[in-house]
Amino acid sequence: MKILALDSSGIVASVAVVEDDTLLAEYTVNYKKTHSQTLLPMLDEIVKMTELELESVDAIAVAAGPGSFTGLRIGSATAKGLGLALKKPLVAVPTVDALAYNLYDAQGLICPIMDARRKQVYTGIYRFEEHQLMTLKEQWAAPIEELLEELNQRGEMVTFLGDGVPVFRELIAEKLQVPYSFAPAHVNKQRAAAVAALGSIYYKEGRTETAMEHIPEYLRVSQAERERAEREKRAETGRYKNMILREMLVDDLDQVMEIEQDLFHVPWTKEGFFYFSDQG
């Protein structure tokens, strides 16, 4: 059985091929380039280096989320395109599950944390029992302090990994009351090899889907969708109802800036308004 795996759920981009219990190739880059620049060239390099016939793979495993909205879309689109072209099934592997699988047979609790912004993390709680990954709490989005409180209540040793570790390391040291450690560099971020290995298990269990069926699991709405919902909510409450449209004057600028700050994540500056008024 041969599984091709892709993971572009975070800053890391990773491609791997696993055949039975052998990792044939893995190409992983943790650098600030867009996955649209890296993922397909990495796959192409693996195909060349291993003389891989893509038609020979049994399935395509993909880190299905949560994670970066853009990264997930790129990974999903790539996997769907391959699945359609090769007529192969997809195996959707939860991102946080795959992260936990990096620490195969580790003792105690395993807690991947991905930085979800706004002091939140994408996370889950796992352990290994008899060489199997057991999910104690499925992946979810939570405030970091809520997660730490739950880990304190569980009262067990825990190992953290993921891109949220450097962001929240100091808070973990301050708030966590149980023994803990951080995974080392070679297993503390996303790896397509883990996606492939876990995907192999899921494939044997029949947990596959067609390329057309696959949809990334975001766990929460995007920032753009949140901002749109906030604008709609304010409109419904009447704050911006009954507005009169007229040409903007310099004397209106303070009120306009207040609206900008209220409605938009990246508001215009006063200088920006002056610039475009001069261009007009």
Side-chain angles (χ1 to χ4, degrees):
M1 180 178 58
K2 191 180 295 181
I3 301 293
L4 168 65
L6 311 170
D7 193 330
S8 58
S9 57
I11 295 176
V12 173
S14 188
V15 180
V17 179
V18 165
E19 184 171 13
D20 298 326
D21 293 326
T22 300
L23 175 62
L24 297 182
E26 183 180 31
Y27 194 157
T28 299
V29 175
N30 183 11
Y31 193 71
K32 294 181 179 180
K33 287 189 176 181
T34 63
H35 297 319
S36 58
Q37 294 176 293
T38 57
L39 206 60
L40 284 175
M42 291 162 62
L43 172 59
D44 185 57
E45 189 66 22
I46 280 181
V47 168
K48 290 177 182 176
M49 291 293 291
T50 62
E51 300 179 348
L52 174 69
E53 295 288 341
L54 285 174
E55 293 80 4
S56 69
V57 304
D58 293 288
I60 298 143
V62 59
S68 156
F69 284 79
T70 301
L72 289 176
R73 289 183 182 115
I74 292 170
S76 174
T78 304
K80 286 166 76 75
L82 288 168
L84 288 169
L86 301 172
K87 297 182 173 60
K88 301 293 182 179
L90 268 58
V91 182
V93 179
T95 303
V96 181
D97 292 19
L99 268 169
Y101 206 67
N102 281 349
L103 302 185
Y104 182 82
D105 261 0
Q107 298 298 307
L109 302 180
I110 301 171
C111 186
I113 52 174
M114 299 173 63
D115 183 18
R117 312 298 181 190
R118 297 187 173 190
K119 296 185 179 179
Q120 291 194 331
V121 291
Y122 299 124
T123 187
I125 302 175
Y126 306 84
R127 75 160 77 253
F128 278 91
E129 294 180 4
E130 298 181 356
H131 315 300
Q132 292 187 345
L133 181 66
M134 309 300 294
T135 302
L136 304 184
K137 186 160 185 177
E138 291 186 354
Q139 58 181 21
W140 87 106
I144 181 63
E145 295 196 5
E146 178 182 311
L147 170 64
L148 297 179
E149 182 179 343
E150 176 157 347
L151 291 172
N152 283 333
Q153 291 174 356
R154 289 180 178 270
E156 297 183 58
M157 179 182 71
V158 57
T159 303
F160 293 96
L161 71 159
D163 60 26
V165 167
V167 179
F168 298 110
R169 182 186 291 263
E170 292 183 3
L171 189 62
I172 291 170
E174 177 187 345
K175 299 287 186 180
L176 204 61
Q177 300 167 6
V178 297
Y180 67 90
S181 62
F182 300 111
H186 65 295
V187 289
N188 69 3
K189 299 290 193 305
Q190 285 91 336
R191 289 188 59 181
V195 175
L198 201 51
S200 297
I201 296 172
Y202 293 168
Y203 179 77
K204 291 176 183 176
E205 295 174 349
R207 295 167 59 178
T208 64
E209 59 189 5
T210 67
M212 293 298 293
E213 291 171 331
H214 175 69
I215 299 174
E217 184 177 0
Y218 297 115
L219 285 189
R220 67 179 194 181
V221 299
S222 69
Q223 179 175 300
E225 291 170 314
R226 289 197 304 271
E227 290 176 352
R228 183 178 64 186
E230 289 171 2
R231 290 196 296 271
E232 291 174 350
K233 183 177 179 180
R234 291 188 186 100
E236 289 173 0
T237 59
R239 180 168 183 181
Y240 300 119
K241 281 184 177 180
N242 303 319
M243 279 188 159
I244 298 173
L245 296 179
R246 61 170 171 78
E247 183 176 348
M248 177 179 160
L249 305 175
V250 173
D251 291 342
D252 297 322
L253 193 53
D254 287 340
Q255 288 179 298
V256 170
M257 290 305 301
E258 181 182 341
I259 295 172
E260 278 285 313
Q261 295 286 343
D262 197 22
L263 291 183
F264 299 104
H265 179 68
V266 183
W268 275 22
T269 63
K270 287 186 177 181
E271 291 76 11
F273 279 104
F274 278 118
Y275 172 81
F276 282 105
S277 66
D278 289 343
Q279 297 303 304

